Amino acid sequence: HVQLVESGGGSVQAGSSLRLSCLASGDISRFNCASWFRQTSGKEREGVAIIDSDGSTNYADSVKGRFTISKDNAKNALHLQMNSLKSEDTGTYYCAVRGGRCRWLLIGNDPVEYDTWGRGTQVTVS
């Protein structure tokens, strides 16, 4: 059973950058679909970025042009580069993976389709 651990969160000023990492305890390459979600108090978990095994990616409209998702199978890692951070980016960020390809999730991400999650890392932008 693979475990995921996020890191890289913190408290930063608007306009700053952060790079989140998600390290897997095992072979992450067997997970064909990987995503970053975020959640704020009282709101549902929102898909921020997704990457398929063929390299296809998609982003929430609110982060397009600012965030970049990447997956490093050799290091069993998933990353999220976040630039030009805004206060509305504040939240707890979770990485999630699933064995199957992303398929329809590239268009409409859904947290219920993922079976392995990290515990989250907090990002606060002020």
Side-chain angles (χ1 to χ4, degrees):
H1 179 67
V2 172
Q3 294 184 325
L4 304 176
V5 179
E6 300 95 337
S7 63
S11 296
V12 297
Q13 292 188 337
S16 300
S17 297
L18 282 173
R19 185 175 189 245
L20 304 185
S21 294
C22 170
L23 295 183
S25 61
D27 184 7
I28 201 173
S29 68
R30 64 189 183 91
F31 297 99
N32 288 294
C33 185
S35 288
W36 286 95
F37 289 83
R38 69 184 176 196
Q39 190 168 24
T40 55
S41 179
K43 293 187 177 181
E44 293 185 353
R45 200 163 288 191
E46 171 195 22
V48 173
I50 184 172
I51 184 166
D52 204 347
S53 56
D54 65 356
S56 299
T57 60
N58 203 6
Y59 300 88
D61 287 342
S62 60
V63 307
K64 279 182 180 176
R66 300 188 297 121
F67 289 13
T68 302
I69 188 171
S70 61
K71 189 166 174 269
D72 187 342
N73 289 331
K75 296 184 178 179
N76 292 320
L78 181 72
H79 301 289
L80 184 68
Q81 178 67 41
M82 305 188 297
N83 299 327
S84 303
L85 283 163
K86 304 176 181 180
S87 58
E88 50 263 45
D89 294 321
T90 294
T92 303
Y93 283 71
Y94 301 87
C95 60
V97 296
R98 60 181 249 134
R101 294 287 299 275
C102 294
R103 298 179 185 174
W104 71 93
L105 298 176
L106 282 166
I107 306 300
N109 215 347
D110 188 344
V112 302
E113 296 293 337
Y114 295 81
D115 47 31
T116 303
W117 289 82
R119 291 190 174 185
T121 184
Q122 178 66 33
V123 172
T124 302
V125 185
S126 60

